[in-house]
Amino acid sequence: MTGRRTSSADGRRVAAAAAVAVAALCFASGTGAQEIPPSSAAVPPAGASDGWNSEVAVLLIERAIEARRHAWADSSLARFRADVQGHVYYLGDILGERHVIRADQLAVDVRWQRPDRSMQTIVGRRHELRLPTTIDYHLDHLFLVLDNFPDRIRIGEGDEIRDVLHPAGAGARELYEYRLADSLEIRLRDRTARVFELEVRPRDGADAAAVGSLFVERETGAIARMRITFTPAAYQDPQIVRLVVDLRSALQEGRYWLPDEQAVEIVRSLPWLDFPLETLVRTRLRVLDYDFDEGALFGLGPGVLIYSLRDEELARFDAWEDPLYGGSLEEGSTDGDLGEAVADARDLLLRRTLLGGRSWQLAFPNASGAIRARRSEGLFVGAGAAYRPNDLVRVSFAGGHAIGEARPQVSLGLRRRLGAVEAELDGWLRAHRDAGPPAGVGVLRTLALLAGGEDYEDPYLTTGGRIGIVRHEGPVRWRVGASFERHRSAALVVGTKPFGDAPLRPVRPVDEGELARLDAGLTVELRSAPGARWRLELAGEAAARGIGDFGYTRATAALRARGSPGGAWNWASGIEFGAAGGTLPAQRLFLLGGRGSLPGYGFRGWGGDRMALWRAEVSRAIASPWVRLRALGAVGGTGLGRAGEGAARRFGVGGSEGLRASAGLGLGLFYDILRLDVMRGGNWVVLLSVDPRFLRIL
């Protein structure tokens, strides 16, 4: 299948210019007051508003409603053919980090013929599974939306949105109200098109309705762009948290506003459980070319027809404009326009609830928050709840009982959205913390304790609170906070291994007392180079023991890189440094050795006030997706100075006396979820682990 071109070079240039201009509508400045014929009401400057349902806003929406009654069918447009390509990504969102589960790429042949006949055919398709899934997309997620939806909007074949009245549909003025927000002039070769942004919301926020913006051309009433989300009552599926649609049109042949690009995002979570995992379906389709050949006879039947070629024919398509992975849909990225649509819609509803889901939910911070086993706790059983009175506020509670310790643990949390950032307030009682970096997922640590008597942590107890501000989204994410807490040493409550009478590793003592601390962190997604993605992570803290008695400063910096997804080969690498000053408590030493840092050596056998660690791995699929061959290695060391000498002595560790290294081979099994590695440091060791992406939810 080859690309088709519009019949006029001038038309192509006009369409491209219009598409770029419309894409920038939200950021445009007005060009002065004009009138919308036939009314004499003056158009306010860009950014100004004369309120809801003003005379100008009503005239403009009435013009859009009237234009939709005729649309293309009653115009001079007889037929067109369009080549469309795009992506459909299924992603998992783990605490704000997005990872591809499945990636699809589509090529669609679109044909339309007056008055209302259309046929869309999938002529090319390829996909890759990154994680196991049985998802089956609704048909309308794979095709181009024509004429900005019918008067009754249905998405997901009615399973997600069903029969919601279009904001510019017949009878819409009885359900919706409108406000003029902005304007933009688009200068074309033979005329100037003026486009106005109309904000739209339901008169009653409890109704099933759309919320967002329509961008309407003054002269024709055509909708150049529609960016909307929906009220909770509109969602048919109780798992839907939000659904956002952005449909953009471009001016073709100097006369017709036709589809140019569309983006849809659907976010789901369990309706009864608040858990740090959501799934997203994100689609973006783009029209590459239009063909308006008057001599073409399509011979379309009545109505809307949707087809797909057979699998073997789809696989032969090779005229892809873009790679399978790329652009704003790839893992770890966000789409600013779709996020802005939700924020704008929330403001239009005067901050009333916009997201789907229940107000009260059962809640767990991760799988180990429900049940786990540790040397310092014995068996722990816990539960929690979350309450969301609106989209901006979330209150959470978690508690549990450590049977071996015979004492409860409790935590409370409050989150308040403030524009692009979020305010945090947390308190906790007898929380168990680990003195070192995570050495594996919680579920495997429970299994390791039950099987071999080692839980791979050095716990201590803390009671206190923290207040902070964090930005979770975007290429630059950051956090700042202040806390006050009391630290105590934990105790060994499980004396011997579950199977046998061998004693367990002792629980190391920490420095006890009160600690006032300031903390900050910054994560920057650097511009990706071909075949690689880079991330810079900075963190620091300053703490004082008690009030006014200076304690220590501690800072870390890490640069991480990984190969682009897809393909038989993949790789990841990261280097990190740490340094501290003042007088460190034992629980804030930099610890290295064994699982999680330098396998093949004693677990956290080294500690200090300086640290460097480099880790890397390369993998190759040998029986995709079941088996990957892995090669991995690590080099690192710690140093001791005045800041950490006393703490290291009390904690029972020393400096590494230079760099230490470990390397080995392994297998990644079942989509690389389960990993079995054999490594050599000071000794040989066999490690069972899981994909680090699941670290924070297991």
Side-chain angles (χ1 to χ4, degrees), residues 237-412:
D237 185 345
Q239 297 186 25
I240 294 180
V241 176
R242 67 178 180 270
L243 194 159
V244 191
V245 178
D246 189 356
L247 306 179
R248 308 187 190 198
S249 298
L251 200 59
Q252 302 288 341
E253 301 288 289
R255 293 178 289 174
Y256 313 121
W257 288 99
L258 298 179
D260 181 66
E261 188 173 355
Q262 73 180 46
V264 180
E265 179 178 273
I266 305 168
V267 181
R268 286 183 170 87
S269 67
L270 293 175
W272 54 272
L273 177 63
D274 186 289
F275 194 72
L277 174 65
E278 293 179 332
T279 60
L280 302 86
V281 174
R282 307 194 71 186
T283 72
R284 186 179 297 281
L285 299 179
R286 182 167 57 95
V287 178
L288 303 181
D289 292 296
Y290 276 100
D291 185 352
F292 299 95
D293 185 2
E294 295 292 337
L297 296 176
F298 297 154
L300 300 182
V304 177
L305 304 176
I306 293 177
Y307 294 103
S308 176
L309 300 183
R310 293 190 298 269
D311 289 346
E312 56 270 22
E313 295 177 282
L314 295 176
R316 285 198 294 267
F317 185 88
D318 61 359
W320 299 109
E321 293 281 327
D322 300 303
L324 178 61
Y325 296 93
S328 61
L329 292 183
E330 60 191 351
E331 61 183 300
S333 64
T334 58
D335 190 312
D337 286 339
L338 298 182
E340 183 182 330
V342 175
D344 291 348
R346 186 179 290 118
D347 290 339
L348 294 178
L349 287 180
L350 303 178
R351 300 186 179 275
R352 289 177 289 186
T353 300
L354 182 65
L355 304 181
R358 298 178 180 176
S359 296
W360 281 98
Q361 293 177 302
L362 183 67
F364 293 104
N366 50 51
S368 297
I371 186 168
R372 63 177 179 262
R374 297 290 185 268
R375 298 174 5 258
S376 60
E377 296 176 308
L379 181 66
F380 173 88
V381 179
Y387 173 61
R388 181 166 55 86
N390 54 55
D391 294 348
L392 303 178
V393 177
R394 177 182 179 272
V395 182
S396 62
F397 164 83
H401 188 74
I403 296 175
E405 191 184 20
R407 291 189 179 181
Q409 300 177 27
V410 178
S411 66
L412 293 169

Side-chain angles (χ1 to χ4, degrees), residues 57 60-61 178-180 196-200 212-216:
L60 195 58
I61 192 59
Y178 308 86
R179 181 173 66 183
L180 190 64
F196 293 87
E197 179 185 359
L198 273 181
E199 295 175 334
V200 55
S213 294
L214 304 178
F215 299 84
V216 182

Side-chain angles (χ1 to χ4, degrees), residues 347-605:
D347 290 339
L348 294 178
L349 287 180
L350 303 178
R351 300 186 179 275
R352 289 177 289 186
T353 300
L354 182 65
L355 304 181
R358 298 178 180 176
S359 296
W360 281 98
Q361 293 177 302
L362 183 67
F364 293 104
N366 50 51
S368 297
I371 186 168
R372 63 177 179 262
R374 297 290 185 268
R375 298 174 5 258
S376 60
E377 296 176 308
L379 181 66
F380 173 88
V381 179
Y387 173 61
R388 181 166 55 86
N390 54 55
D391 294 348
L392 303 178
V393 177
R394 177 182 179 272
V395 182
S396 62
F397 164 83
H401 188 74
I403 296 175
E405 191 184 20
R407 291 189 179 181
Q409 300 177 27
V410 178
S411 66
L412 293 169
L414 172 65
R415 301 291 182 268
R416 175 64 162 87
R417 190 80 177 184
L418 301 171
V421 302
E422 189 175 71
E424 302 177 328
L425 180 63
D426 295 287
W428 55 88
L429 172 68
R430 296 184 57 79
H432 280 237
R433 300 274 177 81
D434 189 1
V441 298
V443 172
L444 287 186
R445 288 159 61 190
T446 295
L447 296 177
L449 178 64
L450 297 177
E454 176 60 86
D455 57 9
Y456 299 108
E457 73 171 16
D458 292 297
Y460 63 97
L461 305 179
T462 172
T463 296
R466 179 182 181 275
I467 185 170
I469 298 177
V470 60
R471 181 184 177 96
H472 292 292
E473 302 172 352
V476 178
R477 303 185 295 275
W478 52 265
R479 60 173 172 81
V480 294
S483 60
F484 185 83
E485 49 195 299
R486 184 176 188 273
H487 292 183
R488 290 198 307 109
S489 295
L492 185 68
V493 300
V494 180
T496 61
K497 294 183 179 180
F499 302 100
D501 56 1
L504 298 185
R505 181 169 60 90
V507 172
R508 292 164 166 168
V510 301
D511 292 319
E512 299 186 341
E514 289 78 27
L515 202 69
R517 179 168 56 183
L518 301 175
D519 66 89
L522 176 69
T523 299
V524 181
E525 300 291 342
L526 303 176
R527 185 178 297 275
S528 297
R533 303 178 189 187
W534 298 81
R535 173 188 293 180
L536 176 65
E537 299 173 357
L538 304 174
E541 58 185 274
R545 295 180 181 177
I547 303 298
D549 181 18
F550 179 79
Y552 68 90
T553 57
R554 189 178 190 270
T556 60
L559 181 63
R560 309 189 193 280
R562 57 189 172 88
S564 297
W569 288 93
N570 210 344
W571 62 274
S573 179
I575 186 168
E576 50 190 305
F577 301 94
T583 303
L584 277 176
Q587 56 269 35
R588 298 309 290 151
L589 289 166
F590 296 106
L591 301 174
L592 289 183
R595 179 185 288 267
S597 57
L598 291 166
Y601 297 97
F603 182 69
R604 294 178 179 168

